[in-house]
């Protein structure tokens, strides 16, 4: 663990470097390997050669989206884990991704929406809806919201939304074609405009989360202590929940439901910097971006020349980790 | 009036029959038959239940015979057997693990069987899309898949004994892993298999033929019979480890046997009807409400309830948005997920 602030800052810069390297590799490697020089040329002084077009329209958006989505999912996970005091909390497990996906498919089926802006809004509303349902279900009962109840309710809600989505897709094959690319959970084939259309939400949520970090630290001490220290805990919780919905919903709007990033990354970040969220959140941002880009690069090679949706890669990495945490016990 | 009636066959088998259970199963049997007839009669061409009976007895019109025998009956029979198998598998697991949340889906068996089936279809098809080995091996493949998944979940959840909570959590994890594998295999395999598999994974009895019925039926009937004559072991398992050992049973051997029995049942159902979710969770619960938790009464009741659930889900899926078909699994999940939440809510308050 990095104990002093100086070491943490050095760590932060190393991760920035790693993130840049991972994005760089994401641009260069793939079915068409390009070189370092070509990539530079394509970015600074583009001509209309095949390689330049690939880099500018396919690889660059992919690397940027990978970084942004990975960062947001990881932050959403960290905030959820702090809010619920549950080490298994993440947008995927809690049905938030599935809720966003369901609402998009529902509206594509019945209202023929196709604009990106509407997709984003729908994803946000769906994410909020799922979050509310899960929170309500898991807080009924005598002892209120326990980590276990939250996890199980989330899984049930996720299953429900997933199967409803499946039903809609079977009923409407046209919609299937439109949303299948998106539903698999992938950062490939997205245009840069998709990222730009959700960037405002991302930016608001990122900055908001960083600003809220000290309050999250206090919240982590438990409701009673936080109240005793003069915090309006319900206000803070609500804000955190809104941030989570913004982060997860926008990520789903761009890349579809990608699981497990939100579980793994906060644990890695905490292993480096402990539980101080002023450090955990920035580390999550960087590590999340790195992990998603690395998984995405792996997804290109595992079945060459075919590409695997990155959601599958993250599941392969994430499940062993999930099981490890589940074995260690979530009630601590 | 006595509550129980002893029922003996030879010297080996003797069961105390609960009167309430007998009545409940009888009513359920009637409901099952009714749903069966209505399901057979509904669809693009409506045939009244009376005509269905006529046709089944061999005195219907030629048109009705074609519709019923070649289109509707196979899928309904598969739905019937799949529902029974899943429900009984769930009942066995819930008794053995002594946890109301246990079920083939929660323990990852369904998704394990799904991986096995998809890899079976991917590995053993030639370029023209026909299978290179007999489809008779499919249930065995699904059984192996379900067993591996269940074994993984059980072993990983083991930490000086298996706690129900860990079991459910590890089950969630293993299911996610298996789903990732399934998607991956669908990507590797031929394209048309992928769309076929996609419908099937959600749980659908769409497009099955008599051929599949004749493979599933013996498998399911045999296993259901074995389950019925093993009720004594299940009853003892449900008492808990100490009491079961005290009663003189070889606990671990029986547990393994029962686990294999339930994975075999799940495997058969999943091989032909896909991952019809939550039936193995709901049916045993409803049955326990009706007849209590003694397995002699519980198993038949749960089996009938499972059959009714799957047949109804199939009926709704076929007719609600006709001519579109919605996989039956969508409806069982739509009822099952809220039910799961309800159970969760109830079990945490007790």
């Amino acid at each position: 663990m990095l104990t002093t602030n100086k070491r943490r800052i050095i760590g932060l810069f190393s991760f920035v470097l790693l993130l840049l390297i991972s994005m760089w590799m994401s641009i260069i490697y793939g079915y068409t390997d390009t070189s370092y020089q070509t990539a530079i040329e394509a970015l600074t002084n583009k001509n209309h050669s095949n390689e330049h077009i690939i880099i500018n329209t396919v690889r660059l958006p992919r690397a940027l989206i990978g970084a942004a989505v990975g960062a947001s999912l990881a932050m959403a996970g960290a905030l959820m884990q702090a809010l619920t005091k549950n080490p298994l909390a993440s947008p995927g497990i809690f049905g938030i991704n599935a809720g966003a996906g369901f609402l998009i498919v529902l509206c594509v089926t019945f209202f023929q929406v196709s604009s990106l802006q509407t997709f984003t809004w729908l994803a946000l509303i769906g994410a909020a809806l799922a979050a509310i349902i899960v929170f309500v279900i898991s807080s009924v009962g005598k002892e209120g919201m326990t980590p276990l109840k939250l996890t199980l309710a989330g899984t049930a809600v996720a299953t429900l939304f997933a199967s409803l989505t499946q039903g809609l897709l079977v009923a409407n094959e046209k919609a299937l074609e439109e949303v299948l690319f998106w539903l698999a959970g992938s950062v490939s084939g997205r245009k840069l405009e998709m990222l730009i259309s959700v960037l405002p939400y991302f930016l608001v949520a990122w900055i908001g989360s960083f600003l809220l970090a000290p309050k999250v630290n206090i919240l982590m001490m438990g409701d009673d202590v936080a109240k005793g220290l003069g915090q309006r805990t319900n206000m803070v919780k609500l804000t955190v929940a809104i941030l989570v919905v913004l982060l997860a919903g926008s990520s789903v709007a761009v890349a579809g439901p990608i699981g497990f990033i939100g579980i793994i990354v906060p644990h890695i970040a905490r292993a480096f910097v402990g539980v101080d969220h002023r450090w955990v959140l920035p580390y999550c941002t960087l590590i999340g971006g790195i992990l998603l880009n690395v998984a995405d690069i792996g997804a290109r090679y595992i079945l060459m020349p075919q590409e695997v949706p990155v959601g599958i890669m993250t599941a392969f990495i994430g499940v062993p980790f999930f099981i490890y945490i589940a074995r260690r016990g979530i009630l601590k | 009036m006595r509550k129980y009636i002893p029922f003996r066959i030879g010297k080996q088998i003797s069961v105390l029959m609960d009167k309430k259970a007998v009545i409940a199963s009888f009513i359920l049997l009637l409901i099952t038959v009714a749903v069966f007839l209505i399901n057979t009669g509904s669809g693009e061409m409506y045939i009244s239940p009376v005509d269905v009976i006529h046709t089944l007895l061999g005195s219907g019109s030629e048109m009705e015979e074609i519709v019923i025998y070649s289109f509707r009956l196979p899928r309904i029979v598969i739905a019937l057997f799949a529902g029974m198998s899943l429900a009984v598998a769930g009942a066995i697991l819930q008794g053995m693990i002594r946890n109301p949340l246990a079920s083939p889906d929660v323990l990852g068996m369904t998704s394990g069987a799904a991986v096995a089936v998809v890899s079976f279809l991917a590995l053993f098809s030639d370029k023209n899309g026909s299978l290179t080995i007999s489809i008779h091996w499919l249930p065995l493949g699904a059984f192996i898949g379900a067993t591996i998944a269940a074994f993984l979940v059980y072993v990983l959840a083991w930490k000086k004994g298996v706690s129900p909570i860990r079991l459910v959590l590890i089950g969630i994890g293993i299911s996610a892993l298996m789903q990732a594998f399934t998607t991956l295999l669908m990507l590797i395999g031929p394209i048309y298999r992928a769309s076929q598999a996609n419908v099937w994974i959600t749980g659908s009895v769409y497009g099955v033929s008599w051929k599949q019925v004749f493979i599933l039926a013996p498998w399911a009937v045999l296993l259901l019979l074995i389950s019925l004559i093993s009720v004594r072991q299940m009853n003892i398992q449900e008492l808990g480890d100490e009491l079961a050992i005290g009663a003189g049973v070889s606990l671990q051997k029986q547990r393994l046997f029962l686990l294999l029995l339930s994975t075999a049942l799940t495997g058969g159902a999943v091989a032909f009807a896909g991952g019809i979710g939550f039936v193995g969770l709901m049916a045993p619960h409803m049955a326990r409400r009706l007849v209590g938790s003694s397995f002699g009464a519980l198993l038949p009741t749960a089996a009938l309830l499972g059959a009714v659930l799957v047949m109804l889900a199939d009926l709704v899926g076929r007719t609600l948005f006709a001519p579109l078909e919605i996989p039956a699994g969508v409806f069982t999940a739509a009822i099952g997920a809220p039910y799961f939440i309800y159970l969760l809510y109830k079990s945490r308050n007790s």
Side-chain angles (χ1 to χ4, degrees), chain A residues 137 140-143 148-149 151-152 155-156 159-160 163 166-167 170-171 303 306 309 312 316 319 322-323 327, chain B residues 156 158-159 165 168-169 172-173 177 183 187-188 198 202 278 324-326 330 333-334 340-341 344-345 348-349:
Chain A
I137 290 171
V140 291
K142 263 181 221 155
E143 72 282 73
L148 177 68
K149 258 168 45 179
T151 313
L152 294 178
T155 316
T159 317
L160 182 64
S163 85
Q166 197 77 32
V170 172
L303 274 187
Q306 227 175 348
I312 294 181
F316 283 147
V319 167
F322 179 92
I323 288 173
R327 271 182 68 81
Chain B
L156 286 171
W158 186 274
K159 197 176 170 189
I165 293 165
V168 173
L169 286 176
I172 292 170
L177 188 67
T183 319
L187 284 171
I188 306 174
N198 205 16
T202 322
F278 291 100
L324 289 171
E325 288 240 4
I326 313 285
V330 171
F340 182 81
I341 292 165
L344 191 71
Y345 165 64
R348 292 304 293 174
N349 260 2

Side-chain angles (χ1 to χ4, degrees), chain B residues 7-341:
Chain B
F7 176 80
R8 290 201 180 85
I9 306 172
K11 282 188 176 166
Q12 287 298 311
I13 300 165
S14 96
V15 188
L16 275 179
M17 302 270 266
D18 186 347
K19 270 193 185 159
K20 199 173 131 197
V22 174
I23 297 168
S25 336
F26 184 69
I27 295 172
L28 265 176
L29 191 65
L30 290 183
I31 296 176
T32 313
V33 172
V35 172
F36 184 87
L37 291 178
I38 293 169
N39 201 350
T40 316
S42 320
E44 192 117 322
M45 181 179 137
Y46 177 75
I47 305 169
S48 77
V50 181
D51 287 339
V52 172
I53 296 176
H54 275 301
T55 315
L56 291 179
L57 293 175
S59 57
S61 74
E62 202 176 320
M63 185 63 192
E64 283 168 356
E65 236 169 61
I66 291 175
V67 169
I68 289 180
Y69 278 106
S70 44
F71 297 122
R72 297 203 187 140
L73 217 47
R75 64 183 294 165
I76 294 167
V77 175
I78 290 264
L80 183 88
F81 280 122
M84 284 185 160
S85 307
L86 287 172
V88 170
I92 297 175
L93 288 173
Q94 287 174 9
M96 193 177 79
I97 297 166
R98 299 172 70 208
N99 176 6
L101 295 179
S103 79
D105 338 59
V106 174
L107 295 184
M109 288 180 183
T110 319
S111 49
V115 174
V117 171
V118 177
S119 33
F120 184 91
L121 294 177
L123 287 178
F124 297 116
S125 0
D126 54 20
K127 287 210 175 70
N128 309 318
S130 45
L131 286 172
T132 47
I133 63 170
S134 163
I135 197 163
H136 285 81
W137 295 103
L138 191 61
L140 189 69
F143 164 58
I144 295 171
T147 312
I148 293 173
F151 180 75
L152 267 180
V153 172
Y154 205 80
V155 166
L156 286 171
W158 186 274
K159 197 176 170 189
K160 295 179 200 152
V162 169
S163 95
I165 293 165
R166 242 190 340 263
L167 208 57
V168 173
L169 286 176
I170 305 273
I172 292 170
I174 294 290
S175 292
L177 188 67
M178 295 294 173
Q179 272 159 20
F181 268 118
T182 312
T183 319
L184 191 64
L185 284 165
M186 277 164 61
L187 284 171
I188 306 174
I191 292 291
Y192 65 92
R193 288 264 185 235
S195 54
Q196 205 181 330
N198 205 16
V199 172
W200 169 85
I201 282 164
T202 322
S204 169
V205 286
Y206 173 75
V208 297
S209 66
W210 283 111
K211 195 177 163 197
Q212 279 122 310
V213 175
F214 289 131
I215 304 170
L216 176 62
W219 177 273
V221 169
L222 182 71
L223 289 169
L224 288 171
L225 281 178
I226 297 177
S227 316
L228 264 184
I229 56 178
S230 325
V231 287
R232 282 202 297 193
Q233 302 175 9
M234 296 173 200
N235 279 334
I236 285 193
Q237 285 275 338
E238 207 182 25
L239 295 175
D241 291 9
E242 288 89 352
L243 279 177
I245 293 169
V249 299
S250 137
L251 187 77
Q252 297 300 338
K253 255 190 221 162
Q254 265 190 12
R255 191 167 281 172
L256 185 68
F257 165 72
L258 291 176
L259 192 67
L260 285 178
L261 192 60
S262 58
T263 52
L265 281 164
T266 312
V270 173
F272 293 112
I276 297 186
F278 291 100
V279 175
L281 180 82
M282 283 188 289
H285 272 278
M286 296 174 172
R288 219 169 287 128
R289 276 284 174 81
L290 287 173
V291 298
S293 55
S294 168
F295 274 91
L298 182 66
L299 281 192
T301 322
L304 289 173
L305 276 168
V308 170
L309 277 175
V310 177
M311 285 197 297
L312 275 180
D314 176 47
L315 176 65
V316 175
R318 260 179 340 119
T319 50
L320 194 61
F321 299 105
L324 289 171
E325 288 240 4
I326 313 285
V330 171
F331 291 98
T332 55
I335 321 167
Y339 196 82
F340 182 81
I341 292 165

Side-chain angles (χ1 to χ4, degrees), chain A residues 160-238:
Chain A
L160 182 64
F161 278 129
S163 85
L164 290 177
T165 310
Q166 197 77 32
L168 283 173
L169 288 179
V170 172
N172 183 349
E173 281 179 18
K174 192 173 151 287
L176 181 68
E177 273 170 31
E178 272 176 49
V179 294
L180 195 64
F181 84 99
W182 170 87
L183 208 60
S186 165
V187 287
S188 74
R190 270 68 171 163
K191 294 198 183 79
L192 206 52
E193 290 90 75
M194 293 183 84
L195 179 62
I196 291 167
S197 72
V198 294
L199 202 58
Y201 306 107
F202 274 156
L203 285 177
V204 168
W206 289 343
I207 296 167
S209 309
F210 291 142
L211 292 179
L212 209 66
K215 296 217 163 76
V216 173
N217 282 340
I218 293 173
L219 195 65
M220 292 275 288
M221 295 175 189
D223 283 16
D224 297 338
V225 178
K227 271 185 196 144
L229 288 171
Q231 188 179 68
R232 291 157 71 188
T233 48
N234 287 336
M235 234 3 236
V236 177
K237 280 181 184 171
L238 185 68

Side-chain angles (χ1 to χ4, degrees), chain A residues 81 87-88 263-272 284 321 325 328:
Chain A
Q81 290 177 10
L88 289 179
I263 296 186
I264 311 173
V265 176
H267 287 272
I268 301 176
R270 280 196 296 265
F272 276 106
C284 275
F321 199 84
I325 302 167
R328 210 177 53 182

Side-chain angles (χ1 to χ4, degrees), chain A residues 111-145:
Chain A
F111 306 109
Q112 277 86 38
V113 295
S114 54
S115 88
L116 284 178
Q117 207 61 40
T118 339
F119 263 44
T120 314
W121 275 107
L122 288 172
L124 288 177
I125 297 168
L129 205 67
I132 292 169
I133 295 175
V134 172
F135 275 74
V136 168
I137 290 171
S138 51
S139 27
V140 291
K142 263 181 221 155
E143 72 282 73
M145 194 162 62

